Amino acid sequence: TRREDVEAAVEAGADYVGFVLADFSPRRVTPEQLAVLTRDLPKRVKKVGVFVNAAKEFIFSTVKTGGLDVVQLHGEESAEFARSLRGLTVWKAAHLTSRADAEAVGSGELSSWKLAAELAGRKRVMLAGGISPGNAAEALRKVNPAGLDLASGVEESAGIKSEEKIVQLFQNIKGAVS
């Protein structure tokens, strides 16, 4: 929600920065705020817009306004809806509670690291849910995801990031992967 948080994540080494565009979220940004938050970021950093049951027209216009590289669908969107977003890179969040869930989905919000590890053995998975500087290295070792998706684990309060926690997170994960 703040430019200084985006810059702290980029400086620490983030490959992706995410922006929530769901009305009900305390982390919500408007498309106009998004345009300011994403302006002049390094090309290596991909910008992800998180949408929850949003209209297709809103998604397309927000992608353009914010220069988004990835659309993350975090609601009840169907696979058919995701496929209808032609020309966009789409990630679909999923909540894993059973092996059947792991077999039915591809990536997203995960509740079981064991199930996530099984899925990560078959598909590219971004691990989310409860990730913090204290457990990020363990998550990488146990699940071997394509990446970590986090929000509250590096926050002082909802939508307000802690530069100290961001730096600590990257120090911890760099130690785990080197």
Side-chain angles (χ1 to χ4, degrees):
T1 58
R2 303 182 309 168
R3 180 67 189 206
E4 59 261 36
D5 297 339
V6 174
E7 290 171 358
V10 169
E11 188 174 316
D15 295 317
Y16 297 87
V17 289
F19 306 92
V20 178
L21 293 129
D23 288 337
F24 62 86
S25 175
R27 296 176 182 90
R28 177 186 183 261
V29 297
T30 65
E32 295 75 25
Q33 291 169 311
L34 178 65
V36 172
L37 292 168
T38 60
R39 187 179 307 129
D40 299 325
L41 292 181
K43 294 227 182 285
R44 71 165 182 82
V45 178
K46 303 299 180 201
K47 301 169 292 292
V48 181
V50 180
F51 298 88
V52 179
N53 301 322
K56 189 185 310 187
E57 297 76 22
F58 177 72
I59 293 172
F60 276 106
S61 68
T62 304
V63 165
K64 185 175 180 180
T65 299
L68 297 175
D69 301 294
V70 178
V71 168
Q72 184 182 77
L73 301 177
H74 226 281
E76 304 300 319
E77 303 90 356
S78 67
E80 181 181 312
F81 180 82
R83 283 191 296 273
S84 77
L85 299 174
R86 297 193 195 295
L88 301 180
T89 299
V90 178
W91 296 346
K92 178 64 177 113
H95 186 74
L96 298 184
T97 58
S98 69
R99 181 159 278 105
D101 290 340
E103 291 171 4
V105 301
S107 65
E109 182 181 322
L110 306 174
S111 59
S112 167
W113 286 4
K114 183 177 179 187
L115 291 172
E118 290 177 20
L119 184 59
R122 299 189 317 267
K123 297 178 180 267
R124 290 180 51 84
V125 169
M126 297 291 280
L127 183 67
I131 307 295
S132 69
N135 67 10
E138 179 184 9
L140 288 172
R141 283 192 298 273
K142 286 188 173 182
V143 177
N144 194 29
L148 300 176
D149 179 349
L150 61 144
S152 61
V154 291
E155 287 181 331
E156 295 173 4
S157 62
I160 306 298
K161 304 296 185 243
S162 162
E163 184 174 356
E164 182 180 308
K165 288 180 182 179
I166 291 170
V167 169
Q168 186 64 56
L169 173 95
F170 278 90
Q171 288 174 347
N172 292 353
I173 62 176
K174 285 177 183 170
V177 296
S178 45

